[in-house]
Each structure stands twice: as structure tokens, then as C-alpha cells.
């Protein structure tokens, strides 16, 4: 959604990095470009003015003039101000002291309230809560049925005593749902209210009546992130008519300019609490202003990537697979398929790669990434027998033809997969062996020449003094002293020492005690 804004800001900052010192003209030109980028992203004009004024004031201050890298300091200032506009710190749900916690959803029709109710319920269920969905949208056709289907997919309960389609009193349904939640021991109640195609008095009155009937702990305003400037006026109308505590952005995966996300919080003073980034129920999470600012400035979102990996990968299985990878042995096509399925559970590959820093400059390559390629690889592996997955070396020409027919691909693709797997195995074995670098864990002690030299034994130097030091006690003409084979034992025979280093007469090294010895 923020691709246009991200590209413009990245180009602005790239022109600054070549300058060791920033003049007032440079700062003015940078702020002008930032203003144009924000306006093109459909950010509200009051927000743009406040943002640019704050950036310009800080950029002309001491923190930039005395910085070792002024350009990087300007980037930091823009990042800080973006975080501030997006809400500063992450805002969490407020839970009631005495359950159930009541959450009321409000917004225009088509903003995605019903689907978002299911996403929020599923997210809360993963947080070890027992949410209850309440069908209080009795005007829109099949709204009750849709909420029931969404609740079933999310694995949560639904309270829908009325059939909807214009039949029933939504205020009474909302009031009765609280008693029902207490009886069924649900700790959170999510009320899905009706929306309209525009702001009208009937919508506001009904939403206000439901609010007064249930006294919700949180009123969340659901806004479509793709409607642009109209999101601000809609939010202001709901704030005056009903009031709300937080904003939920939907359809953040769209191709709109995303100015609503940067405008709603600043205009209404209410934080953005959640964001929906896709059509699936799992495409939903708490809104983190700092992470969103990092994405806009093409600095990546590693924390979200780590959190998704922690949710998807089982810790015991990950440790088991890590041991296979480090040992370089036992890693089969079955393991490869399992790991690939785990990565797919984290979401589209394009989205995962987009969370890496600097990936905004490779957007064309990311757009060419197709998750269906992974599906084809999975089909090839699943068309193999268990023995073939365990030992791909047995896959000859006839077997590859059979696998190709079973997976619906060409023999060349099957051969390519097997070859790439063998290459990956070799790479893992080299990594497990320290990449052949001496001194690395698991690495070889040296090359073939060094090993051959060690096998021949130690060479004796032509210098008699070095030769005397290099002789072992058992190979000299003098017998070994009773001092043993340690360092002091080797010093026991004066004939072993080079000229000028003889021990004084009467000195017995065996009686010499080092500090700490008994």
C-alpha cells in the first residue's frame, strides 16, 4: 500500500547521503520533496503541514549540524516523526476487571466489519481468551449468516438469536448477549453492528443506543484504508456522533496510496490498534507504529518476521531440523518438503521477503515471485515413493518420467529439483565441516599437503641446536631422566640443551615445583 510513498522517500534520502554537510537549501529541498510525497500518498493536508514543519525544525537543530552523518540523522528524524504520526507506542486492548470485556465495532458498510470481527476473535483465541461474536447487524441481507460462517472458521462461538434481514432489535440482541456470555463463561464479547453506505442520523442513533445499552470497554472504528481522504471526514463524523477509542485499518494489502493510515490518528487523536493485511482470518495483527514506519522507509520489519516464524515453527521440530542441517546427514526430501510447508504457513513468500531491509529497491524482482512454484515442488516430492524421498540417488530416468506424469510437470523440472537438492546437501555438508577452513568448528586441521606432511613425521633441522631441541628423549643417545616426559623431564638431560643453555651443576628439574603444585 505504501509503495509509492516509500519509493519517493527512498529517492529523497539517497540524494542526501552523498553530502557531508547539509545547508538550509538542502533541508528546504528535502522537506519540499517530503511534502510532495505525502500529498501524493493522499495524506490529509493538515497532517502534511504539521509533519513537514516538525521535520524542518528538528533538521535545522543541533542534532543534525553536529552529527557525523547528517543524512542519516535526517532519516532518523523522519522515522521518529512518522512513528509519532502513526501513534507512537503500540496501543493494547483494555480488558475489564470483571469479565466479560465488551468490544463494539462501528463503521461504514463495506469497511469489512464482519470479517474483521472473525479475525479479532481468532486473534484473541490465540491469546488464550474465549471470545463470543454477537450478530447485531440485522439490516444487511445475510449478515447474520456471514458472521456465523466466519465464527465457525475462526473456531469461536456466535450469539445470533435473530434471523436478521430486517427482523429483530439489534439493541436488545446486544444487551442479551452480555448475560449469555456470563452464563457461558466467555471473557470477551465482540459486537458486530450495522453499517450504512454513508453517514446518516439513523446509523448514528442505532450505534449510540447499542453503546449506551452495553457500555463497551472498547469502541473500535473500522475504516477502509483504501478510501483515502474520505476516511478522515468519516472518522470525524463517528467521533462526534458515537465516539470511539481506537481505529482498525482494513485492506492494507490493497494498492491504494495509504494516506488514511497517516491521517486518521492525527486528526481524531485516537490510536490505530489493529491492521488487517489480507483476506484470510490469520492476516490480522496489532498495529505497531514503529514497524510500519520502518516499512515505509524501506528499513524492513524483522520483528514481525521473527514473530511469524515463532508462531509457525514448533521449537522441538526446529531444533531437530537444525541438528540435521548442521550435521549434514539425514536431511531428506521429506524434511525439505516439511520445511517448505512451514514457510508457506507464514504467508506469501513475497510478503516475507518484503519485510527484509532494502527490499523496496528490488520490487520488480519481488513481483515475479510466484508461490505456485512452491506448489509445483511440493507436487513433485509428493509424487515420489517414501524410499525415493529418503534416497533420491535411486531416482533414475524411468522413475523421473513416472514422477513427472504424477505431478503434471516435465521430466526436466523433476531432474532440476533432484539436482538442486543434491547441491544443497553438498553445501550443508561443507557448512557442517567448517567449509574446509582450518580452525573452524568441525573444519579440517589442514589441507592434504599438511596431512601428508604430518604422516611423514617431524623433520630434523640441519642446525645442531634446533636438532637437539627437536629430538625426543627416547631417540637420543642419553637415557631419559626420572623426571618423566614433561617439559621439566626434557630439561633433565644437559646433553639435550644447545650450547650456552646448560643447566647449572647440581640442579634437579624433577624437584622444581610450579605455583599451585603439591
Amino acid at each position: 500500500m505504501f509503495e509509492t510513498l516509500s519509493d519517493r522517500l527512498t529517492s529523497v534520502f539517497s540524494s542526501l547521503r552523498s553530502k557531508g554537510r547539509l545547508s538550509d537549501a538542502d533541508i528546504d529541498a528535502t522537506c519540499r520533496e517530503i511534502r510532495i510525497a505525502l500529498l501524493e500518498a493522499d495524506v490529509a493536508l493538515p497532517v502534511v503541514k504539521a509533519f513537514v514543519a516538525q521535520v524542518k525544525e528538528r533538521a535545522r537543530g543541533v542534532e543534525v549540524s553536529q552529527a557525523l552523518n547528517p543524512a542519516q540523522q535526517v532519516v532518523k528524524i523522519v522515522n521518529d516523526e512518522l512513528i509519532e504520526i502513526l501513534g507512537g507506542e503500540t496501543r493494547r486492548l483494555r480488558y475489564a476487571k470483571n469479565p466479560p470485556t465488551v468490544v463494539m465495532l462501528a463503521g461504514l458498510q463495506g469497511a469489512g466489519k464482519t470479517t474483521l470481527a472473525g479475525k479479532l476473535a481468532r486473534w484473541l483465541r490465540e491469546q488464550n481468551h474465549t471470545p463470543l461474536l454477537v450478530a447485531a447487524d440485522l439490516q444487511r441481507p445475510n449478515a447474520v449468516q456471514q458472521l456465523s460462517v466466519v465464527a465457525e472458521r475462526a473456531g469461536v462461538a456466535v450469539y445470533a438469536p435473530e434471523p436478521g434481514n430486517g427482523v429483530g432489535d439489534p439493541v436488545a440482541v446486544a444487551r442479551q448477549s452480555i448475560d449469555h456470555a456470563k452464563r457461558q463463561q466467555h471473557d470477551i464479547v465482540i459486537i458486530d453492528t450495522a453499517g450504512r453506505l454513508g453517514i446518516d442520523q439513523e446509523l448514528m442513533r442505532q450505534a449510540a443506543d447499542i453503546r449506551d445499552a452495553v457500555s463497551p470497554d472498547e469502541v473500535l472504528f473500522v475504516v477502509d484504508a483504501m478510501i483515502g481522504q474520505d476516511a478522515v471526514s468519516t472518522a470525524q463524523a463517528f467521533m462526534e456522533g458515537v465516539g470511539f477509542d481506537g481505529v482498525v485499518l482494513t485492506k492494507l494489502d490493497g494498492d491504494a496510496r495509504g494516506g488514511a493510515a497517516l491521517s486518521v490518528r492525527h486528526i481524531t487523536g485516537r490510536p490505530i490498534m489493529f491492521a488487517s493485511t489480507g483476506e484470510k482470518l490469520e492476516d490480522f495483527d496489532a498495529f505497531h507504529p514503529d514497524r510500519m514506519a520502518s516499512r515505509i522507509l524501506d528499513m524492513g520489519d524483522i520483528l514481525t518476521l521473527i514473530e511469524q516464524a515463532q508462531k509457525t515453527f514448533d521449537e522441538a521440530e526446529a531444533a531437530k531440523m537444525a541438528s540435521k542441517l548442521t550435521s549434514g546427514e539425514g536431511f531428506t526430501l521429506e524434511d525439505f518438503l516439511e520445511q517448505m510447508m512451514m514457510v508457506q504457513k507464514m504467508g506469501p513468500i513475497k510478503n516475507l521477503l518484503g519485510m527484509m531491509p532494502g527490499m523496496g529497491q528490488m520490487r520488480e524482482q519481488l513481483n515475479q515471485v510466484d508461490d505456485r512454484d512452491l506448489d509445483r515442488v511440493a507436487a513433485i516430492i509428493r509424487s515420489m515413493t517414501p524410499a525415493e524421498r529418503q534416497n533420491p540417488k535411486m531416482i533414475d530416468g524411468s522413475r523421473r518420467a513416472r514422477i513427472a506424469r504424477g505431478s503434471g510437470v516435465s521430466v526436466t523440472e523433476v531432474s532440476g529439483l533432484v539436482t538442486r537438492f543434491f547441491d544443497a546437501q553438498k553445501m550443508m555438508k561443507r557448512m557442517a565441516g567448517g567449509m574446509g577452513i582450518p580452525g573452524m568448528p568441525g573444519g579440517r586441521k589442514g589441507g592434504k599437503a599438511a596431512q601428508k606432511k604430518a604422516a611423514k613425521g617431524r623433520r630434523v633441522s640441519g642446525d645442531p641446536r634446533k636438532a637437539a631441541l627437536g629430538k625426543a628423549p627416547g631417540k637420543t643417545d642419553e637415557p631419559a631422566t626420572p623426571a618423566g616426559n614433561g617439559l621439566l623431564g626434557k630439561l633433565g638431560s644437559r646433553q639435550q640443551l644447545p650450547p650456552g643453555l646448560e643447566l647449572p651443576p647440581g640442579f634437579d628439574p624433577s624437584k622444581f615445583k610450579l605455583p599451585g603444585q603439591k
Side-chain angles (χ1 to χ4, degrees):
M1 168 160 284
F2 297 101
E3 289 181 1
T4 304
L5 178 60
S6 179
D7 291 343
R8 288 297 301 265
L9 292 179
T10 302
S11 63
V12 170
F13 297 140
S14 62
S15 62
L16 288 179
R17 291 190 175 96
S18 60
K19 299 182 180 180
R21 182 178 177 276
L22 296 182
S23 62
D24 289 345
D26 295 330
I27 295 175
D28 290 340
T30 302
C31 291
R32 189 182 308 112
E33 292 295 328
I34 293 175
R35 182 187 299 109
I36 294 173
L38 292 174
L39 290 175
E40 287 183 349
D42 230 4
V43 181
L45 183 59
V47 180
V48 175
K49 288 183 176 180
F51 181 86
V52 173
Q54 189 65 21
V55 170
K56 186 178 293 187
E57 179 182 352
R58 291 184 58 185
R60 286 176 173 165
V62 178
E63 58 180 318
V64 172
S65 61
Q66 296 183 356
L68 294 177
N69 192 330
Q72 288 293 339
Q73 197 66 26
V74 172
V75 175
K76 178 182 179 300
I77 291 173
V78 174
N79 182 60
D80 293 343
E81 294 304 321
L82 274 177
I83 294 174
E84 185 63 29
I85 278 189
L86 291 169
E89 297 181 355
T90 303
R91 164 78 153 77
R92 303 291 182 180
L93 272 177
R94 291 185 303 232
Y95 297 105
K97 294 182 179 179
N98 299 318
T101 300
V102 181
V103 178
M104 174 180 165
L105 303 181
L108 295 179
Q109 184 175 332
K113 291 190 303 301
T114 302
T115 305
L116 187 129
K119 291 182 177 182
L120 178 59
R122 182 184 181 277
W123 185 81
L124 289 169
R125 182 174 63 83
E126 292 179 348
Q127 311 290 327
N128 299 320
H129 293 284
T130 54
L132 172 69
L133 290 177
V134 178
D137 182 1
L138 305 180
Q139 278 72 34
R140 183 168 62 88
N142 294 324
V144 175
Q145 182 181 1
Q146 180 189 356
L147 187 65
S148 301
V149 172
V150 170
E152 183 180 357
R153 289 172 52 200
V156 298
V158 62
Y159 180 71
E162 298 291 347
N165 298 325
V167 179
D169 182 9
V171 179
V173 170
R175 186 184 297 111
Q176 296 165 7
S177 67
I178 306 301
D179 297 331
H180 177 80
K182 291 179 180 178
R183 290 193 302 269
Q184 299 296 325
Q185 296 184 346
H186 294 283
D187 62 342
I188 295 180
V189 176
I190 302 173
I191 302 176
D192 178 31
T193 63
R196 294 290 186 276
L197 295 177
I199 301 298
D200 56 26
Q201 293 301 321
E202 183 182 357
L203 166 64
M204 291 300 179
R205 184 171 60 253
Q206 184 185 106
D209 291 342
I210 295 176
R211 179 201 62 196
D212 297 337
V214 300
S215 300
D217 299 281
E218 296 277 14
V219 179
L220 301 182
F221 173 62
V222 182
V223 59
D224 184 351
M226 299 179 67
I227 64 176
Q229 293 282 348
D230 194 40
V232 177
S233 58
T234 304
Q236 286 179 317
F238 267 90
M239 175 61 70
E240 297 169 359
V242 182
F244 54 85
D245 304 297
V247 179
V248 182
L249 290 175
T250 62
K251 307 177 186 178
L252 269 181
D253 57 325
D255 57 357
R257 298 173 181 178
L262 299 174
S263 305
V264 171
R265 188 263 167 190
H266 187 272
I267 297 296
T268 64
R270 296 294 185 266
I272 302 172
M273 295 178 58
F274 297 99
S276 174
T277 57
E279 295 180 356
K280 297 180 180 179
L281 292 181
E282 56 267 23
D283 297 334
F284 176 85
D285 203 354
F287 185 82
H288 302 280
D290 53 344
R291 302 182 190 181
M292 182 58 69
S294 295
R295 289 194 193 188
I296 293 174
L297 297 179
D298 196 23
M299 294 190 292
D301 189 0
I302 301 299
L303 289 178
T304 300
L305 188 61
I306 293 173
E307 289 178 357
Q308 290 186 6
Q310 288 176 340
K311 292 178 183 177
T312 305
F313 287 87
D314 180 71
E315 190 172 347
E317 287 295 326
K320 179 181 176 182
M321 195 59 60
S323 64
K324 285 188 177 183
L325 291 173
T326 53
S327 65
E329 299 176 357
F331 186 76
T332 64
L333 280 169
E334 192 75 46
D335 300 324
F336 176 72
L337 177 62
E338 182 181 343
Q339 291 299 297
M340 191 173 65
M341 293 297 102
M342 287 287 190
V343 173
Q344 275 193 315
K345 288 181 182 178
M346 294 175 60
I349 303 297
K350 176 184 174 182
N351 293 353
L352 298 180
L353 294 176
M355 294 181 188
M356 303 297 291
M359 282 297 173
Q361 303 174 17
M362 304 176 61
R363 192 161 289 124
E364 292 184 3
Q365 292 88 331
L366 288 179
N367 291 333
Q368 297 176 3
V369 176
D370 190 356
D371 286 355
R372 290 177 293 182
D373 293 335
L374 297 182
D375 296 334
R376 282 190 286 271
V377 172
I380 293 173
I381 298 177
R382 286 179 175 139
S383 298
M384 300 178 183
T385 64
E388 291 169 343
R389 298 179 194 176
Q390 294 293 327
N391 183 22
K393 293 181 180 179
M394 65 185 297
I395 303 178
D396 53 16
S398 61
R399 291 176 182 266
R400 296 187 185 194
R402 188 204 76 238
I403 295 170
R405 289 194 300 270
S407 56
V409 299
S410 64
V411 178
T412 305
E413 291 183 75
V414 178
S415 301
L417 172 63
V418 175
T419 303
R420 290 196 302 271
F421 179 74
F422 286 147
D423 292 340
Q425 273 190 329
K426 291 177 183 178
M427 175 64 71
M428 285 186 288
K429 288 181 180 179
R430 286 200 295 268
M431 293 176 66
M435 300 294 290
I437 302 174
M440 288 285 289
R444 295 176 295 179
K445 300 299 182 182
K448 292 183 179 179
Q451 294 175 359
K452 189 175 182 180
K453 179 180 178 181
K456 286 184 177 180
R458 188 172 181 180
R459 295 184 180 181
V460 179
S461 173
D463 189 337
R465 292 176 296 179
K466 292 183 179 180
L469 285 174
K471 290 182 180 179
K475 295 183 180 180
T476 59
D477 296 333
E478 296 289 332
T481 61
N485 294 325
L487 174 64
L488 297 178
K490 293 180 180 180
L491 295 175
S493 178
R494 284 180 289 175
Q495 288 82 357
Q496 290 180 338
L497 296 176
L501 294 178
E502 293 86 354
L503 295 176
F507 179 75
D508 186 1
S510 63
K511 296 180 180 180
F512 183 76
K513 303 294 184 184
L514 295 173
Q517 276 188 333
K518 295 182 179 179

